[in-house]
Amino acid sequence: MAEAGRLLQTARPPVGLSPATVRAYAASWRAFVGTQAVDGCFPVGPVAVAAWLEARAKAGRPRQSLVVDRAALTAWCAANGEGLDVALPATRVRRTGAGVDAASLLAAARRCGPDLSGLRDRVLLLLAAALDIGAEALARLTVEDITDTTDGMTVALLRPRSGRHQLRRLRRRRDPAVCPVRSWAAWRDAAQLRWGAAFRGIDAHGTVGDPLSVPGFRFLLDRALGRPDRPPPRARRTKSGSPPESSVRTAARQRMLRPTPDWIRATLTVSGPVDEVARFRAAARGPGIIPWQVDFDYEQARLLAPMAAKGAQAVTLARLLRQASERLHRIALQHQAAGTPSCAFDLHRLVPVPGPLLEAGSDSRAAAAWLRAHWGTLLPLRRVEVEAMCDQRARRSARLVYSFWSAEWAPWQALERVRTDWPELVFDIRPQYARADAGETADASG
């Protein structure tokens, strides 16, 4: 029974967990308590927890992080005598197959071909529709979890929270094209599966390989449903033929999201009292990165998808690219943790990106919208140089001249926040836009 009246701020932590789990659960609990009233107390109730999870999902939080959040709140409430049973909010197909209507899954299953890949895709689509499960549950399925019966088959679904299996019975359907029982038998026999993972990758030569990862399932679901990773927005036009204001903003957003952005050189002059300028110079120094949290399993699957037909060479290349990305990301995070001042004007130090957006990742739409609204550019500044000059206009004053390259736009929005935080300083930015007909190309990739 819940300890009614106990404040959430003084809740008892769960016990018997590993140190890493304790830290992860404590972070989720602090985030939840921070959204509640100061005098909030037990019982929490499933409505408040479901609303909090829904808000996190809309902010772009990954599916696996939502699973940890739900488990954390369940453990904390259980330690204080309250039992919770809250379902995860429905998210996009690229995160999970749950929440997609059964009609779309069945229609996609009918479109699958008769080859080995088509047999595999058909059965995973039909199981997702019949069992209402997503990529995570599909990745946990093994051959041993599926047992034939006289009128169909039973599937043992592992519940991560309890560690127990839930038996689900599936009966044969009259239409073989949408029958998960017949489709599973066809895929199992064609792939000669006897044990281990129920779904595996297939190379260009039709050879069954390693088990599919969760990002691999997401990619297959997206491809089967005909959904691109990021569909382009449609631009509406008025009766006069000119695009409305929203379409103009859409075009600007597409320019800012291009794989190879244009780089603009700008000069920023900061002047004011000597002590205040010195403090600003120290505060603006940082590693010059945005410490995103990256799902490297998904990135490897994304890199492999367009070249999967090349076979083993493509798999090796995708793995090497992932290892290189992981190494560079690890070095960047080490610089971030050590506070290495490699960049003289670090936007993340002056206008930090919120933690939930860092967890959502650089490809999150919520993160991109926040950067456009608060920075004015989607990438950190490049080739930043600073020169301290003597200010001849007034005594006991100093001046800093920063020169840098900015992606697509100058960081106007970030400077508005900086001007508010440093009212005693004067900021003057002068972008140097190159003429399109002059043949000049800005390259700040180095």
Side-chain angles (χ1 to χ4, degrees):
M1 183 175 180
E3 300 181 13
R6 174 181 287 274
L7 293 176
L8 300 181
Q9 301 282 355
T10 61
R12 294 192 182 95
V15 296
L17 304 176
S18 66
T21 304
V22 169
R23 290 193 298 270
Y25 282 13
S28 297
W29 178 254
R30 286 194 302 269
F32 171 74
V33 173
T35 61
Q36 306 301 308
V38 178
D39 56 349
C41 56
F42 286 97
V44 175
V47 176
V49 176
W52 181 72
L53 291 174
E54 183 71 23
R56 305 268 276 186
K58 290 182 178 179
R61 189 166 177 81
R63 176 80 176 186
Q64 56 268 30
S65 299
L66 292 174
V67 173
V68 175
D69 290 338
R70 183 181 64 175
L73 267 62
T74 302
W76 273 81
C77 289
N80 292 268
E82 180 182 0
L84 281 180
D85 187 10
V86 181
L88 287 175
T91 52
R92 292 179 299 171
V93 179
R94 71 181 296 265
R95 292 299 181 187
T96 176
V100 182
D101 59 291
S104 298
L105 292 172
L106 295 179
R110 292 180 182 275
R111 294 193 297 266
C112 294
D115 57 349
L116 196 58
S117 299
L119 295 177
R120 178 201 59 192
D121 295 351
R122 178 182 294 110
V123 66
L124 70 87
L125 288 167
L126 293 176
L127 288 178
L131 301 174
D132 192 19
I133 57 178
E136 292 83 358
L138 288 170
R140 289 192 295 265
L141 278 180
T142 63
V143 178
E144 295 84 353
D145 293 333
I146 305 176
T147 306
D148 294 332
T149 61
T150 56
D151 59 346
M153 66 183 186
T154 58
V155 182
L157 296 178
L158 177 63
R159 298 300 183 186
R161 287 188 296 171
S162 62
R164 300 177 181 177
H165 286 81
Q166 178 187 9
L167 293 180
R168 301 285 300 275
R169 178 178 296 180
L170 298 178
R171 298 180 182 272
R172 289 188 180 88
R173 296 187 178 184
R174 294 182 180 180
D175 188 355
V178 293
C179 178
V181 179
R182 293 186 175 92
S183 298
W184 163 250
W187 157 247
R188 179 193 59 197
D189 297 341
Q192 299 182 1
L193 300 178
R194 298 294 179 265
W195 55 273
F199 299 101
R200 300 171 180 269
I202 303 171
D203 62 16
H205 305 288
T207 304
V208 179
D210 296 331
L212 285 173
S213 63
V214 174
F217 279 100
R218 294 170 184 159
F219 170 76
L220 291 178
L221 288 170
D222 281 342
R223 185 181 64 179
L225 292 169
R227 294 188 176 185
D229 180 63
R230 196 177 301 276
R234 294 180 301 175
R236 297 180 293 106
R237 288 188 174 272
T238 60
K239 294 182 179 180
S240 62
S242 60
E245 183 180 0
S246 59
S247 299
V248 174
R249 289 197 299 267
T250 299
R253 177 166 64 252
Q254 291 176 341
R255 288 196 300 271
M256 295 185 69
L257 293 176
R258 286 185 298 185
T260 306
D262 288 335
W263 292 88
I264 299 173
R265 182 177 176 83
T267 302
L268 173 65
T269 303
V270 182
S271 58
V274 175
D275 296 340
E276 196 71 7
V277 170
R279 286 200 313 112
F280 175 81
R281 183 174 186 178
R285 294 174 65 90
I289 64 169
I290 305 177
W292 302 110
Q293 293 190 14
V294 184
D295 184 353
F296 286 103
D297 288 335
Y298 176 77
E299 290 299 320
Q300 182 175 351
R302 183 182 62 81
L303 291 171
L304 178 61
M307 55 181 179
K310 299 297 182 181
Q313 294 180 348
V315 176
T316 302
L317 178 59
R319 186 179 67 253
L320 293 176
L321 291 174
R322 172 201 173 144
Q323 293 173 354
S325 299
E326 282 185 306
R327 183 170 60 255
L328 294 175
H329 186 68
R330 185 169 57 252
I331 294 173
L333 291 182
Q334 290 173 354
H335 286 301
Q336 173 75 11
T340 306
S342 57
C343 178
F345 196 81
D346 188 349
L347 291 178
H348 183 62
R349 283 294 179 89
L350 297 171
V351 187
V353 180
L357 297 180
L358 295 177
E359 296 177 1
S362 59
D363 60 345
S364 167
R365 294 184 179 180
W370 188 94
L371 289 174
R372 285 192 297 268
H374 296 82
W375 280 17
T377 179
L378 298 183
L379 298 174
L381 304 180
R382 303 281 182 88
R383 296 186 180 179
V384 181
E385 299 178 356
V386 59
E387 180 181 1
M389 304 180 65
C390 180
D391 194 349
Q392 303 292 339
R393 296 172 295 179
R395 296 182 179 180
R396 295 185 298 276
S397 65
R399 182 171 54 166
L400 298 175
V401 178
Y402 292 94
S403 61
F404 52 81
W405 293 82
S406 178
E408 296 290 351
W409 303 97
W412 299 101
Q413 285 80 354
L415 285 180
E416 292 298 325
R417 164 73 179 275
V418 172
R419 287 190 178 99
T420 304
D421 295 340
W422 300 83
E424 298 184 12
L425 299 180
V426 177
F427 298 87
D428 180 27
I429 185 170
R430 298 181 180 274
Q432 302 173 13
Y433 298 104
R435 291 179 55 189
D437 57 354
E440 300 179 9
T441 303
D443 182 11
S445 59

